Coordinates of all heavy atoms in Angstrom, one line a residue:
I407 N 166.1 -57.9 66.1 CA 166.2 -59.3 66.5 C 166.7 -59.4 67.9 O 167.2 -58.4 68.4 CB 167.1 -60.1 65.5 CG1 168.6 -59.6 65.7 CG2 166.7 -60.0 64.1 CD1 169.6 -60.5 65.0
C408 N 166.5 -60.5 68.5 CA 167.0 -60.8 69.9 C 168.2 -61.7 69.8 O 168.2 -62.6 69.0 CB 165.9 -61.4 70.8 SG 164.5 -60.4 71.0
L409 N 169.1 -61.5 70.6 CA 170.3 -62.4 70.8 C 170.6 -62.6 72.2 O 170.5 -61.7 73.0 CB 171.5 -61.8 70.1 CG 171.7 -61.9 68.6 CD1 173.0 -61.3 68.2 CD2 171.7 -63.4 68.1
D410 N 171.0 -63.8 72.6 CA 171.5 -64.1 73.9 C 172.8 -63.4 74.1 O 173.7 -63.3 73.2 CB 171.7 -65.6 74.1 CG 172.1 -65.9 75.5 OD1 173.3 -65.8 75.9 OD2 171.2 -66.3 76.3
P411 N 173.1 -62.7 75.2 CA 174.3 -62.0 75.4 C 175.6 -62.8 75.1 O 176.7 -62.3 74.9 CB 174.2 -61.5 76.8 CG 172.8 -61.4 77.1 CD 172.2 -62.6 76.4
G412 N 175.4 -64.2 75.2 CA 176.6 -65.0 75.0 C 177.1 -65.0 73.5 O 178.2 -65.5 73.2
H413 N 176.2 -64.5 72.6 CA 176.5 -64.5 71.2 C 177.4 -63.3 70.8 O 177.0 -62.6 69.9 CB 175.3 -64.6 70.4 CG 174.7 -66.0 70.2 ND1 175.5 -67.0 69.8 CD2 173.5 -66.5 70.3 CE1 174.8 -68.1 69.7 NE2 173.6 -67.8 70.0
L414 N 178.5 -63.1 71.5 CA 179.3 -61.9 71.2 C 179.9 -62.0 69.8 O 180.1 -61.0 69.1 CB 180.4 -61.8 72.3 CG 181.1 -60.5 72.4 CD1 180.1 -59.4 72.7 CD2 182.2 -60.5 73.4
D415 N 180.2 -63.2 69.3 CA 180.7 -63.4 68.0 C 179.7 -62.9 66.9 O 180.1 -62.3 65.9 CB 181.0 -64.9 67.7 CG 179.9 -65.8 68.0 OD1 178.9 -65.4 68.7 OD2 179.9 -66.9 67.4
L416 N 178.5 -63.2 67.1 CA 177.4 -62.7 66.1 C 177.3 -61.2 66.2 O 177.3 -60.6 65.1 CB 176.1 -63.4 66.4 CG 175.9 -64.9 66.1 CD1 174.5 -65.3 66.5 CD2 176.2 -65.2 64.7
M417 N 177.4 -60.6 67.4 CA 177.3 -59.2 67.5 C 178.5 -58.6 66.8 O 178.3 -57.5 66.1 CB 177.2 -58.8 68.9 CG 175.9 -59.3 69.6 SD 175.8 -58.7 71.3 CE 175.0 -60.1 72.1
R418 N 179.6 -59.1 67.0 CA 180.8 -58.5 66.3 C 180.7 -58.6 64.8 O 181.1 -57.7 64.1 CB 182.1 -59.3 66.8 CG 182.6 -58.9 68.2 CD 184.0 -59.4 68.4 NE 184.5 -59.0 69.7 CZ 184.7 -59.9 70.8 NH1 184.3 -61.1 70.6 NH2 185.1 -59.4 71.9

Side-chain angles (χ1 to χ4, degrees):
I407 66 169
C408 299
L409 279 180
D410 187 278
H413 276 313
L414 197 61
D415 56 334
L416 289 181
M417 295 183 213
R418 286 197 177 104

